[in-house]
Amino acid sequence: MDRSPEGLDDEPLVVPPAAAHGARSTSDAHATRREARHGDGARHPGGTEDGDLVEASADRRHAAPRTRSSGPMAFLRETAIILICALALSWVVKTFFVQAFFIPSPSMHDTLIEHDRILVNKLAPGPFELHRGDIVVFKDPGGWLQGETEQTPSRSRSIVNDVLTFVGLYPQDAGQHLVKRVIGTAGDHVACAGPGKPVTVNGVALDEPYLAPGSEPSEQKFDITVPANSIWVMGDNRQHSWDSRFHQGNPGGGSVPISNVVGVAFVTVWPIERAGLLHNPAKTFEDVPAPTATN
């Protein structure tokens, strides 16, 4: 009867008696020669094949500790590796994703106050877009910092800043950055008629709940259409903010080039009692229409 290859695999392997006898004879002969060389296997466990394996395993167990690193040098080496990896990770995060800044002036009261530490999302602008209402950190376009009142940090705060700078969580050029709120984006018509009047964007008056207590929308009159690739920014503490309104004679009419924007602030991390998310006040701008050619 024909059998499939699978059937042959299932058949038990039968050893002919003669072959089995020959195999046993050969095995006995090998065993006799081993005993002759090593003596009685009972007295010398190493004289058997199992004994050889036991001896080899014992040798490996005795040799293993000699390959392990231990002592102060090993600890220092592992610590150095951890520190280098931590610094490299910090540099990557700071360069491409998140960066820490502190608030040096009262221009954003009471949303942000002096010495608050904030984290900035560096993916906007970039993969993510800027929106009206975002709190942005940007590099001074030129001459803006002259009107800002910056407080000199205490010695202890300076030490903290130096440490954060060293590990990459604080910018080397922190003194060249400002933080403001985006009121208008490219193409928006932003205006205010002066004291007692609201700020308008594309003709819609804004209700601004984030303004500092006692602040009015603007004591400065302005009327501008935001240029392409730019934003119009204002501080929440309007009467103490040297913002876009005071730079209308600059190129761009006071608007900030998007290329100067570092990112969008999304959380306050220090001091602990002020820690929390920084939300975009979307309701303030929800009725503002998209800019048009006539705006």
Side-chain angles (χ1 to χ4, degrees), residues 17-278:
H21 176 73
R24 284 197 298 273
S25 299
T26 303
S27 177
D28 292 343
H30 285 315
T32 302
R33 284 197 293 271
R34 282 198 301 273
E35 289 179 1
R37 285 197 303 270
H38 301 291
D40 185 4
R43 291 193 303 272
H44 301 282
T48 66
E49 290 182 352
D50 291 341
D52 292 341
L53 294 175
V54 171
E55 283 189 3
S57 299
D59 290 342
R60 284 195 296 272
R61 285 197 300 270
H62 288 301
R66 290 196 296 270
T67 63
R68 294 175 185 158
S69 299
S70 60
M73 292 304 298
F75 173 77
L76 290 176
R77 182 168 60 252
E78 292 175 1
T79 301
I81 291 172
I82 292 172
L83 287 175
I84 291 171
C85 291
L87 291 175
L89 179 60
S90 174
W91 179 86
V92 170
V93 170
K94 163 194 166 282
T95 302
F96 300 104
F97 300 104
V98 176
Q99 191 167 357
F101 288 86
F102 84 101
I103 305 304
S105 75
S107 69
M108 285 295 291
H109 276 208
D110 286 340
T111 307
L112 299 171
I113 64 175
E114 294 89 333
H115 307 304
D116 278 358
R117 260 61 174 180
I118 59 175
L119 295 183
V120 170
N121 173 19
K122 302 186 74 172
L123 296 178
F128 302 105
E129 296 181 359
L130 295 178
H131 300 92
R132 305 181 192 101
D134 285 343
I135 297 174
V136 293
V137 172
F138 58 95
K139 195 167 184 177
D140 183 4
W144 284 51
L145 288 168
Q146 295 175 5
E148 293 287 340
T149 303
E150 182 176 345
Q151 297 185 3
T152 303
S154 64
R155 179 175 175 78
S156 60
R157 291 185 184 278
S158 295
I159 293 173
V160 172
N161 291 345
D162 291 341
V163 172
L164 292 175
T165 301
F166 176 75
V167 299
L169 294 178
Y170 190 74
Q172 292 281 358
D173 56 351
Q176 300 178 31
H177 290 83
L178 301 97
V179 56
K180 306 291 179 191
R181 190 180 297 275
V182 178
I183 302 300
T185 56
D188 282 341
H189 177 211
V190 187
C192 182
K197 301 297 182 180
V199 172
T200 63
V201 180
N202 298 336
V204 174
L206 302 181
D207 177 16
E208 301 182 276
Y210 41 76
L211 293 183
S215 290
E216 58 178 307
S218 181
E219 78 286 3
Q220 179 91 2
K221 183 177 180 179
F222 63 91
D223 189 320
I224 186 173
T225 297
V226 183
N229 301 315
S230 301
I231 54 175
W232 178 271
V233 297
M234 301 173 73
D236 291 355
N237 194 7
R238 294 286 162 81
Q239 279 64 64
H240 299 275
S241 178
W242 194 254
D243 51 39
S244 289
R245 298 168 294 164
F246 298 92
H247 300 280
Q248 297 182 63
N250 294 7
S255 297
V256 177
I258 288 181
S259 58
N260 282 50
V261 177
V262 176
V264 175
F266 66 95
V267 65
T268 303
V269 294
W270 188 264
I272 296 298
E273 60 271 18
R274 287 185 49 78
L277 295 176
L278 297 171

